[in-house]
Amino acid sequence: MSARKLGHFHGGLKLSGHKQVSMTGEVTTSPIPPQLIIPIQQHIGAPAEPVVSVGDRVKKGQLIAKMEATVSAPVHAPTSGTVSAIEEWAVPHPSGLPNTCIVIDTDGQDEWLEDRATHSQFHLLDPEELRKLIRNAGIVGLGGAGFPAYLKLQPGQGKLVDTLILNGAECEPWISCDALLMQQRARDIIDGLNIMRHAVQANECLIGIEDNKPEAIQALRNSLTDDEKRYIDVVAVPTRYPTGGEKQLIKVLTDMEIPSHKLPIDIGVICHNVGTAAAVADAVIRGIPLISRYVTVTGTAVAKPHNLHALFGTPMNFLLQQCEVHEGKLGRLLMGGPMMGIEIHDRQTPIIKTTNCLLTLQPQDIADDHIPLPCIRCGECARACPAQLLPQQLYWWSKAEDFDKVQDYNVFDCIECGCCAYVCPSHIPLVQYYRFAKTEIWQQERDKQKSDRARQRHEFRQFRMEQKKQEDEERRRKKKELLKKAQGDKPDEAKKSAIEEAMARVQAKKQQQHTATKNVDDLTDAQRKQVEEADARRERLNKDDPTT
Ligand code: SF4
Ligand code: SF4
């Protein structure tokens, strides 16, 4: 047991774990489903851009969507098959909105892409090269957030990483995939940790695990070599929700607080999930991009709750069937745990990089029949908040849609852990209000950026027009100057000669018109006779015409 002196965070809850429910058997490998539905966005940031078309045959591990922005992650084919569609599909997201997915009809051959680059001697690689490998493998935080991992391994100018933390707390009830990963792939996790340490040149590494997972703690400690024991410490931390929150785990392990609006790197710390570390080892040492993960399928509506190794894009229903879901008894399906999970309404929704758990609940388990009552200002929520916020104030201002006030109360420090809502005697769905406020603020920010861009475009256009006007004026001025120069220094004489020239031109024109209307006297005899005959004819006609 580590002798490290631990800190503790404010608030939090002691919850029933329910973890053993899904930890009794082995992790099974889910078969390849007939069809994989792979969202192009399984991470925080910009969606990836498809690089395959309908009809293309793809191999396992092949890039199917590339990243087009810094905060993004590429997506790879989890198995071989043929792209049968690129279309909107239900995806796991709190908004419930569909998103673009690449659909692969699998061929069952599971044929790997040739020429995968492997780097067992990773310590010989440059840190930048390691980050590139991790980025190209599409690795994102597997603890649930889905932030691109390579970015967190890029401390930034002048920032040093003193402590690299691996988060193995897995504090939310029912979820056990990280616990089993630590038991079964302890050495891979340590290898991934060493790679990340080399990438950021950290001094010390800590692996924080809640003390309700003794097997996992032991497995990791047993995997350490004597040399690794000098700089890696596997630390058992008290079981208390939400110890797995990044700021909370850092506080427990280092007794350091991350100030509001700051990041762990600002105090010399970075934190990754244990699953992310295993994925890093796969990518760098074995050349395997992120295409699958461990998923806990548990709850009261499955007969065989356990952990499965599933390919991304596998429909959730495919996993539920393997765990013998009680058809007709499934009242609610959550992706994630009961505190922070998101509701899934379509069972064909695919497993993605951040799917750690499918929690099934029967109708009688659902306490949604509580009707929210008015806030009685009891302060229970503030006592439970691990981020030391004032949840009731956040609620008031979110409800009033006063988003400036919501930000004054640091809504973006809220980790949406749900502790406040859990203890609220008025059963107010507090977290929903905070999510609403955050979404609105982000939208307003996007709108503002859009209007700022439009304003900048308008200002630039005005500037160009003004510039053109000045250029034209300048051109005219220069022309005048040149003319003056060409005329020498006798401007009056030049003017006079110009007037005389103009008058001569007018005179010549008049002369031209005069000669055009010839006098009859100038006509020849034959022409004159012709004119007289025409006049006589006209006279005769006039006499004969009764109308005249
Ligand atoms: S716990 Fe609920 S009722 Fe009590 S102050 Fe907070 S929001 Fe109000
Ligand atoms: S959801 Fe937010 S406000 Fe509520 S307890 Fe958690 S951190 Fe605090």
Side-chain angles (χ1 to χ4, degrees):
M1 182 71 79
S2 167
R4 179 170 289 268
K5 189 175 175 302
L6 300 178
H8 68 275
F9 59 89
H10 176 267
L13 300 169
K14 196 92 187 150
L15 300 171
S16 307
H18 301 289
K19 288 182 187 282
Q20 286 307 320
V21 175
S22 55
M23 288 181 75
T24 46
E26 288 288 296
V27 177
T28 61
T29 300
S30 170
I32 301 168
Q35 202 170 57
L36 292 173
I37 304 127
I38 304 144
I40 57 169
Q41 179 146 35
Q42 306 181 39
H43 51 264
I44 285 180
E49 185 69 29
V51 292
V52 289
S53 306
V54 173
D56 285 358
R57 184 176 145 68
V58 292
K59 289 185 179 175
K60 184 172 184 166
Q62 182 178 328
L63 179 78
I64 55 171
K66 62 178 179 179
M67 58 186 276
E68 290 279 33
T70 310
V71 186
S72 184
V75 179
H76 301 80
T79 187
S80 55
T82 304
V83 177
S84 59
I86 299 176
E87 60 189 13
E88 299 259 296
W89 204 280
V91 293
H93 192 269
S95 69
L97 295 172
N99 206 346
T100 304
C101 295
I102 298 171
V103 182
I104 297 177
D105 288 347
T106 61
D107 59 13
Q109 293 171 28
D110 211 24
E111 188 186 349
W112 266 105
L113 192 70
E114 306 86 15
D115 304 330
R116 299 199 320 269
T118 58
H119 303 89
S120 53
Q121 301 292 307
F122 60 82
H123 50 277
L124 300 178
L125 294 178
D126 183 67
E128 193 51 49
E129 185 62 22
L130 282 176
R131 281 190 281 273
K132 211 165 144 190
L133 290 171
I134 292 165
R135 184 192 66 192
N136 293 347
I139 299 174
V140 303
L142 297 188
F147 191 76
Y150 88 97
L151 283 172
K152 265 178 138 183
L153 293 169
Q154 209 163 264
Q157 200 88 42
K159 293 190 174 166
L160 295 175
V161 179
D162 182 59
T163 309
L164 170 56
I165 291 177
L166 275 197
N167 188 343
E170 199 170 54
C171 59
E172 220 179 324
W174 294 96
I175 309 173
S176 62
C177 58
D178 281 354
L180 283 173
L181 187 85
M182 288 186 278
Q183 283 176 226
Q184 300 193 352
R185 297 193 61 196
R187 189 58 233 172
D188 290 336
I189 291 169
I190 301 294
D191 285 343
L193 178 61
N194 280 321
I195 294 169
M196 292 198 275
R197 176 176 181 249
H198 183 55
V200 296
Q201 303 285 298
N203 288 328
E204 170 193 45
C205 299
L206 303 174
I207 307 177
I209 308 169
E210 280 192 343
D211 54 15
N212 61 353
K213 302 176 192 68
E215 296 89 348
I217 294 166
Q218 205 49 54
L220 281 164
R221 283 186 179 152
N222 291 346
S223 299
L224 294 175
T225 63
D226 287 342
D227 182 46
E228 286 166 342
K229 283 175 189 165
R230 286 190 303 106
Y231 60 87
I232 299 177
D233 195 359
V234 180
V235 187
V237 297
T239 299
R240 185 169 186 81
Y241 180 80
T243 301
E246 190 173 66
K247 290 186 177 181
Q248 287 66 40
L249 185 62
I250 291 171
K251 176 76 171 92
V252 173
L253 289 173
T254 67
D255 206 17
M256 288 195 287
E257 299 259 10
I258 299 163
S260 184
H261 309 301
K262 294 283 180 190
L263 296 170
I265 187 62
D266 295 317
I267 59 163
V269 178
I270 60 169
C271 189
H272 284 272
N273 174 264
V274 284
T276 312
V280 164
D282 283 343
V284 175
I285 299 172
R286 300 176 196 94
I288 300 174
L290 186 60
I291 52 172
S292 62
R293 66 163 297 149
Y294 283 8
V295 181
T296 306
V297 182
T298 187
T300 56
V302 285
K304 287 187 177 168
H306 67 288
N307 279 274
L308 298 102
H309 187 192
L311 299 177
F312 300 142
T314 302
M316 291 181 182
N317 196 41
F318 193 77
L319 296 190
L320 293 176
Q321 296 300 332
Q322 289 170 65
C323 297
E324 298 182 11
V325 63
H326 297 299
E327 292 297 347
K329 286 189 183 171
L330 180 58
R332 201 172 171 208
L333 176 62
L334 295 177
M335 186 183 98
M339 301 298 284
M340 297 181 74
I342 58 169
E343 188 98 34
I344 300 293
H345 299 285
D346 183 344
R347 279 163 59 169
Q348 289 307 316
T349 302
I351 299 297
I352 62 170
K353 294 177 182 179
T354 52
T355 309
N356 52 3
C357 177
L358 298 183
L359 177 60
T360 64
L361 297 170
Q362 294 193 25
Q364 63 266 29
D365 307 322
I366 303 164
D368 266 356
D369 51 352
H370 290 304
I371 296 165
L373 298 168
C375 171
I376 54 169
R377 294 176 182 268
C378 64
E380 283 299 316
C381 50
R383 276 187 281 280
C385 179
Q388 300 190 59
L389 302 175
L390 293 172
Q392 73 275 39
Q393 298 293 339
L394 286 173
Y395 161 63
W396 288 119
W397 298 120
S398 300
K399 198 176 172 193
E401 302 191 16
D402 187 333
F403 301 121
D404 288 337
K405 278 276 187 224
V406 176
Q407 288 187 80
D408 288 347
Y409 281 93
N410 298 321
V411 71
F412 286 103
D413 282 346
C414 166
I415 57 169
E416 299 179 18
C417 65
C419 290
C420 51
Y422 187 88
V423 298
C424 176
S426 296
H427 305 295
I428 302 170
L430 296 165
V431 185
Q432 288 179 26
Y433 282 95
Y434 312 150
R435 280 186 186 149
F436 161 72
K438 286 181 188 175
T439 311
E440 285 298 307
I441 294 165
W442 283 325
Q443 188 55 46
Q444 282 178 6
E445 187 54 35
R446 275 195 291 270
D447 291 348
K448 187 175 167 295
Q449 281 175 4
K450 221 166 145 187
S451 74
D452 282 353
R453 275 200 296 274
R455 186 176 45 75
Q456 279 164 5
R457 271 202 303 274
H458 175 72
E459 283 173 0
F460 183 68
R461 195 163 162 264
Q462 295 288 98
F463 165 75
R464 280 292 303 134
M465 281 164 68
E466 186 57 34
Q467 204 180 33
K468 191 167 180 301
K469 202 170 138 194
Q470 283 174 8
E471 283 168 4
D472 287 351
E473 271 170 15
E474 182 63 13
R475 210 168 24 246
R476 272 198 293 277
R477 191 187 61 75
K478 276 189 181 159
K479 205 172 166 185
K480 245 182 197 171
E481 259 178 23
L482 278 174
L483 193 67
K484 260 187 191 173
K485 220 173 181 181
Q487 287 163 351
D489 50 5
K490 293 177 185 166
D492 289 346
E493 269 179 36
K495 207 184 274 175
K496 202 174 155 192
S497 80
I499 293 168
E500 279 168 4
E501 273 175 29
M503 283 174 71
R505 274 200 303 277
V506 172
Q507 194 60 34
K509 206 169 181 184
K510 270 186 184 168
Q511 188 62 37
Q512 248 181 355
Q513 282 168 353
H514 179 71
T515 48
T517 55
K518 278 184 174 178
N519 197 310
V520 177
D521 299 342
D522 297 336
L523 298 178
T524 61
D525 288 348
Q527 284 170 330
R528 201 179 300 125
K529 200 175 169 212
Q530 230 176 314
V531 172
E532 282 166 4
E533 276 173 8
D535 287 346
R537 207 164 39 243
R538 194 163 47 245
E539 220 167 287
R540 265 200 317 277
L541 282 168
N542 285 346
K543 269 184 197 164
D544 296 344
D545 188 348
T547 62
T548 60

